[in-house]
Amino acid sequence: MKFSVLGIIWLLSFSLFFAGCASSVSFQTPASSSGELSYPAPDPIEAAQRVEVFSTVKVSYATNRRKGPDGGLLAELNVSDAPLSYGQETVLIPLERDVGSFKDSHSSTFKVLMRFGVVDDQDDPIITLLNDKSLTLSEADFFKQFKSTNAVKSGDVLLFVHGFNVKFEDAVKRAAQVSYDINPDLQPVVFSWPSIGDPLKYNRDFGRALDSIDDFEKFMLKLAASTQGKRIHILAHSMGSKVVIPALGKLYSSHSKLLDKKLGNIILAAPDFPRETFILKYKAAFSKFGRATIYMSSEDKALRVSSSTYLADREMLGFSGSDGFFFPGIDSVDITHAGGVDDLLGHSKYGSSARVLVDMHDMIGSNLRANKRKGFIVVPPYKYFFLQP
């Protein structure tokens, strides 16, 4: 549909008046899936419209969030005898976007123009979760997909454990974006613990993360036993490290051979985990594993607060500050100067920085440790690595 320049200007002049009542516009989706783990081909017209705009990423999930009466996942811990629920979501990733961009909503002005038909969603592609594509899976069906003959993708598994203040839907979209930007052939999986998704509920999320350690440990054992010919790369962000570090420390003491065989890399991105606790209890196990990476920064505003206030009152592992962390056998990497897209707090460079994403691509794809990858320097008196822009 074509409009004159004056017509478009006229509509724009009214956008501020209508912005408050503009509603979001969702994608039209094909009919529901009838297959066990596959989706029917989209309508030919729809496919023709989208083929040049989006890539589809399927994200499998396991969660210990309690289900509500309508089947939705709540920000509450499932305390039943079977705490884990399983499923698969579909996310659309725009093809024309900067690596690290996590734009998942339109501006108010754009929404108004959509209502008047001046533009459509393909004029401003965003990362979108297709709710009508959600699948609920049994435990057996969930783990069956990781066997080589039933794999959704042929690549390794990227297991993402989100941090503080993250809703389920946002965790799924972030997993899709990071996995896609590292390597589109990776098979993304989310373990979503019941964060409430409220920046004022730090202590509440803190407790829920600790309550999720045992559930994650049991999930990891099942996942490791199910993968055939695939390595599992774990990416834990921020408070997600409070779930992952203790669970893996315990698993490594009892199932070290299994983890050595099945795990590829353990990546702790901006870990909101006390440095002294890690040194006292876990550094030996992670060093012995030999493929652990800690991304830290001295400009991480979120961890600066967590390290210096009543929230923790001790330095976090992901905040390099004046000392940082170094221990032989663990790749400690300062990413302060790596840059990032729309990362005001400097806390999400694992997903927003093209430089960090490329580094993870080299780490996972080429199986290289930091001393073999490009762009690292060591600045005395520090012994850990600095990632260059």
Side-chain angles (χ1 to χ4, degrees), residues 238-253:
S238 188
M239 193 176 282
S241 64
K242 295 185 186 299
V243 179
V244 170
I245 291 175
L248 291 183
K250 185 178 178 181
L251 281 174
Y252 204 77
S253 66

Side-chain angles (χ1 to χ4, degrees), residues 267-287:
I267 305 169
L268 304 177
D272 186 14
F273 193 92
R275 186 188 302 160
E276 61 188 14
T277 303
F278 185 82
I279 292 173
L280 288 172
K281 294 184 176 182
Y282 302 108
K283 69 177 182 181
F286 279 74
S287 175

Side-chain angles (χ1 to χ4, degrees), residues 160-164 166 174 193 202 234-245 266-275 278 292-307 315-321 325 331-336 343 345-353 356 360 363:
F160 176 59
V161 184
H162 60 80
F164 160 65
V166 178
R174 179 61 97 172
W193 54 277
Y202 182 91
I234 300 174
L235 172 60
H237 177 234
S238 188
M239 193 176 282
S241 64
K242 295 185 186 299
V243 179
V244 170
I245 291 175
I266 301 171
I267 305 169
L268 304 177
D272 186 14
F273 193 92
R275 186 188 302 160
F278 185 82
T293 297
I294 298 173
Y295 283 130
M296 53 190 182
S297 171
S298 60
E299 295 183 358
D300 189 320
K301 298 179 180 63
L303 289 187
R304 184 190 297 274
V305 172
S306 180
S307 296
E315 290 195 341
M316 296 294 107
L317 187 60
F319 182 68
S320 51
F325 170 81
D331 285 346
S332 298
V333 180
D334 189 304
I335 58 173
T336 300
D343 185 14
L345 295 178
H347 189 55
S348 299
K349 290 185 179 181
Y350 75 99
S352 68
S353 171
V356 176
M360 287 192 285
M363 178 198 312

Side-chain angles (χ1 to χ4, degrees), residues 212-289:
S212 300
I213 294 172
D214 289 345
D215 290 337
F216 179 75
E217 178 188 346
K218 294 173 184 176
F219 170 72
M220 269 303 306
L221 274 178
K222 293 178 180 179
L223 181 62
S226 300
T227 56
Q228 295 181 354
K230 296 173 179 284
R231 295 180 302 165
I232 304 167
H233 306 280
I234 300 174
L235 172 60
H237 177 234
S238 188
M239 193 176 282
S241 64
K242 295 185 186 299
V243 179
V244 170
I245 291 175
L248 291 183
K250 185 178 178 181
L251 281 174
Y252 204 77
S253 66
S254 58
H255 296 81
S256 60
K257 291 183 178 180
L258 178 64
L259 295 191
D260 285 338
K261 180 180 179 181
K262 294 300 184 74
L263 289 188
N265 293 275
I266 301 171
I267 305 169
L268 304 177
D272 186 14
F273 193 92
R275 186 188 302 160
E276 61 188 14
T277 303
F278 185 82
I279 292 173
L280 288 172
K281 294 184 176 182
Y282 302 108
K283 69 177 182 181
F286 279 74
S287 175
K288 185 177 180 182
F289 173 69

Side-chain angles (χ1 to χ4, degrees), residues 26-45:
S26 60
F27 291 95
Q28 297 296 317
T29 57
S32 299
S33 170
S34 59
E36 183 177 351
L37 288 174
S38 61
Y39 297 97
D43 180 83
I45 296 178

